[in-house]
Amino acid sequence: MKITVNPNTEVADAVKEGLKRTGGYCPCRLERIPENKCICQEFKEQMADPDFEGFCHCMLYYKSKE
């Protein structure tokens, strides 16, 4: 498993700016709950899934199977 930041710097920078504005909560989600704090619970569960490969919800991180 390998986790990388989105190589599209425009997307990555926009999400990082959103994280600054929200105090570390996913800027793509309305609720400010612990499960939505970056790295969000949804992506943590996806990282634990050996069959998952892809981006997190906000497209900041990418999990590859390698």
Side-chain angles (χ1 to χ4, degrees), residues 8-22 27-28 58-60:
N8 181 329
T9 56
E10 189 173 316
V11 171
D13 290 347
V15 175
K16 288 176 184 178
E17 188 59 39
L19 287 167
K20 287 179 189 175
R21 279 194 324 272
T22 63
C28 306
C58 66
M59 297 191 64
L60 178 59

Side-chain angles (χ1 to χ4, degrees), residues 2-49:
K2 184 176 180 182
I3 307 296
T4 56
V5 174
N6 189 333
N8 181 329
T9 56
E10 189 173 316
V11 171
D13 290 347
V15 175
K16 288 176 184 178
E17 188 59 39
L19 287 167
K20 287 179 189 175
R21 279 194 324 272
T22 63
Y25 291 94
C26 180
C28 306
R29 299 184 186 268
L30 296 177
E31 291 183 293
R32 302 293 183 247
I33 57 175
E35 292 85 356
N36 292 342
K37 191 89 167 185
C38 191
I39 292 178
C40 70
Q41 184 63 39
E42 178 184 8
F43 194 56
K44 287 178 186 175
E45 291 169 5
Q46 291 169 330
M47 289 188 308
D49 179 354

